[in-house]
């Protein structure tokens, strides 16, 4: 069987897969490396698909299975989401791909029975690709921020959602095989496809309702975290106010002491006493790190934690009062970033411990750099700590939500994290 006319169609389909996976995945690699992997996947897709069409029969079914597996591996390789989330997104995409493919091929078969096989093939390829890209655009506008904000949390729920998606994909794949083998009549196939799609869309409505609840749970956790930061800051302010009241109460005694030194003509003693008193007043003052209230509360909370752990806490912050970032996103980013930095210092077991923080707003770009002493065994994988946990995933999700990025570096025992948000 001549399959040359199908090769460009396979190329279009492979490129469509690459584009969709590019926007569905939370990127593990820079753009150039992703393009390299995409080209390798595309070449393999066209080669395997071309062989399947040329051989026909069982070989075509085998080629389809191999292509599905290769596409899944490609999506897993380029994404750094948790495995359960990768499975859910991939199976959902291929389920939608199969549903559109089945519907379009049946429509072409019913309404355009006289067109040739090559024309019918390309009508199906073009229409399917266009619809998938339109749905991808809709996804980016409505659902992408919600899915990415969940990061790698709730593994068990992701597996439940992936299982539901897998059941419908198997149904769609079965309908594809029945359509190719002409086992069922057109009326029976259309009826089966209609019923399966109605049930599938209803279940997916429930799936995304479940996802919205997952998002609310994640936001509730961040709200609790914010309350902790504000409580810590309030406690620090209360302690500072008590110290100031004590100083004000003792001011009469200080003035009497200075007066005694003045009567004795002991000017150096007066100056030394005033310097000592000034240091005591400055140490009890409440320090403001930023004019932005949320950032200031988080910095104040971790400054207290760092002081308790014997870690020097250095901050340079230049941001406006208002930022186009939700408070819970700032909490997720800064809270987890500073928490990881503090743990890194504590685990390093080194004598001189410090955390340096630089926060700057320039040209609608919020840049946050956090440098800290880190343990010797810390390793990076694709610019992120190896074996990243929920904290790193939350930071990454917050960056990606604002079209930003996150990158870690380790030099001379110092871990440097740079988070960028485009506002």
């Amino acid at each position: 069987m001549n399959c040359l006319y199908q090769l460009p169609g396979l190329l279009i389909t492979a490129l469509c897969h690459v584009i969709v996976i590019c926007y569905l995945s939370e990127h593990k690699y820079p753009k150039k490396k992703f393009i390299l992997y995409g080209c390798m996947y595309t070449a393999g897709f066209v080669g395997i698909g071309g062989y399947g069409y040329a051989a026909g029969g069982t070989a075509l079914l085998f080629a389809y299975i191999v292509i599905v597996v290769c596409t899944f591996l490609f999506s897993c390789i380029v994404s750094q989401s948790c495995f359960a989330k990768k499975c859910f997104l991939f199976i959902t995409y291929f389920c939608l791909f199969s549903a559109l493919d089945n519907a379009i091929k049946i429509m072409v078969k019913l309404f355009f029975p006289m067109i040739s096989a090559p024309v019918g093939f390309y009508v199906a390829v073009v229409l399917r690709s266009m619809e998938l890209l339109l749905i991808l655009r809709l996804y980016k506008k409505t659902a992408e921020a919600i899915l990415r904000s969940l990061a790698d949390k709730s593994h068990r729920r992701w597996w439940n959602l992936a299982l539901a998606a897998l059941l419908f994909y198997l149904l769609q794949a079965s309908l594809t095989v029945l359509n190719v083998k002409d086992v069922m009549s057109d009326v029976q196939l259309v009826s089966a496809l209609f019923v399966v799609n109605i049930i599938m869309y209803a279940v997916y409505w429930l799936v995304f309702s479940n996802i919205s609840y997952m998002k609310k749970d994640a936001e509730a956790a961040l709200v609790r975290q914010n309350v902790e930061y504000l409580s810590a800051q309030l406690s620090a302010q209360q302690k500072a106010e008590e110290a100031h009241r004590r100083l004000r109460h003792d001011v009469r005694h200080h003035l009497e002491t200075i007066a005694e030194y003045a009567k004795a003509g002991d000017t150096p003693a007066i100056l030394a006493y005033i310097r000592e008193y000034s240091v005591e007043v400055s140490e009890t003052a409440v320090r403001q790190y930023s004019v932005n209230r949320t950032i200031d509360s988080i910095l104040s909370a971790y400054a207290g934690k760092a002081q308790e752990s014997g870690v020097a806490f250095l901050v340079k912050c230049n941001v406006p009062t208002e930022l186009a970032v939700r408070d819970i996103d700032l909490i997720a980013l800064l809270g987890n970033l500073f928490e990881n930095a503090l743990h890194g210092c504590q685990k390093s077991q080194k004598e001189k411990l410090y955390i340096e923080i630089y926060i700057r707003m320039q040209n609608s770009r919020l840049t946050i750099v956090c440098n800290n002493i880190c343990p010797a065994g810390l390793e990076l994988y694709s610019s992120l700590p190896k074996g990243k946990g929920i904290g790193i995933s939350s930071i990454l999700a917050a960056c990606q939500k604002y079209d930003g990025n996150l990158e870690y570096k380790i030099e001379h025992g110092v871990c440097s994290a740079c988070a960028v948000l485009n506002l």
Side-chain angles (χ1 to χ4, degrees), residues 149-150 153 213-223:
S149 66
L150 296 175
K153 302 174 183 178
Y213 282 116
M214 291 166 65
K215 182 175 183 292
K216 289 178 181 178
D217 288 344
E219 290 184 348
L222 291 176
V223 170

Side-chain angles (χ1 to χ4, degrees), residues 110-129:
L110 290 176
F111 296 106
F112 304 99
M114 303 302 294
I115 62 176
S116 63
V119 174
F121 175 79
Y122 278 98
V123 168
V125 168
V126 172
L127 288 178
R128 183 184 62 215
S129 299

Side-chain angles (χ1 to χ4, degrees), residues 33-99:
K33 200 167 185 179
F34 178 87
I35 292 174
L36 174 62
Y37 282 125
C39 291
M40 294 169 60
Y41 162 76
T42 301
F45 184 99
V46 174
I48 296 169
Y51 165 77
Y53 277 114
T58 306
L60 181 58
L61 177 61
F62 177 75
Y64 174 79
I65 294 172
V66 172
I67 283 176
V68 172
V69 172
C70 289
T71 307
F72 174 68
L73 292 176
F74 171 64
S75 68
C76 288
I77 290 171
V78 300
S79 174
Q80 56 186 1
S81 304
C82 70
F83 187 67
K85 187 176 179 181
K86 291 178 185 178
C87 290
F88 168 72
L89 290 175
F90 172 79
I91 297 171
T92 297
Y93 166 60
F94 246 68
C95 187
L96 179 62
F97 175 87
S98 299

Side-chain angles (χ1 to χ4, degrees), residues 333-346:
L333 197 161
L334 296 177
N336 285 295
L337 192 65
F338 301 157
E339 189 77 23
N340 292 342
L342 187 58
H343 287 166
C345 285
Q346 293 169 343

Side-chain angles (χ1 to χ4, degrees), residues 74-191:
F74 171 64
S75 68
C76 288
I77 290 171
V78 300
S79 174
Q80 56 186 1
S81 304
C82 70
F83 187 67
K85 187 176 179 181
K86 291 178 185 178
C87 290
F88 168 72
L89 290 175
F90 172 79
I91 297 171
T92 297
Y93 166 60
F94 246 68
C95 187
L96 179 62
F97 175 87
S98 299
L100 291 176
D101 186 63
N102 287 330
I104 291 171
K105 285 180 178 178
I106 292 174
M107 288 173 60
V108 170
K109 185 177 178 181
L110 290 176
F111 296 106
F112 304 99
M114 303 302 294
I115 62 176
S116 63
V119 174
F121 175 79
Y122 278 98
V123 168
V125 168
V126 172
L127 288 178
R128 183 184 62 215
S129 299
M130 290 175 61
E131 289 185 17
L132 285 171
L133 294 178
L134 286 173
I135 293 172
L136 176 64
R137 184 177 179 84
L138 180 64
Y139 160 78
K140 286 189 66 64
K141 285 188 175 181
T142 58
E144 181 184 35
I146 295 175
L147 288 174
R148 292 198 171 186
S149 66
L150 296 175
D152 289 352
K153 302 174 183 178
S154 305
H155 288 241
R156 185 175 179 181
R157 289 187 179 180
W158 284 122
W159 280 121
N160 292 337
L161 297 177
L163 179 60
L166 179 62
L167 294 175
F168 284 107
Y169 171 69
L170 293 175
L171 285 174
Q172 293 291 348
S174 300
L175 292 175
T176 300
V177 173
L178 293 174
N179 186 25
V180 172
K181 298 292 186 179
D182 286 328
V183 175
M184 302 172 64
S185 66
D186 293 339
V187 175
Q188 291 174 326
L189 196 58
V190 169
S191 301

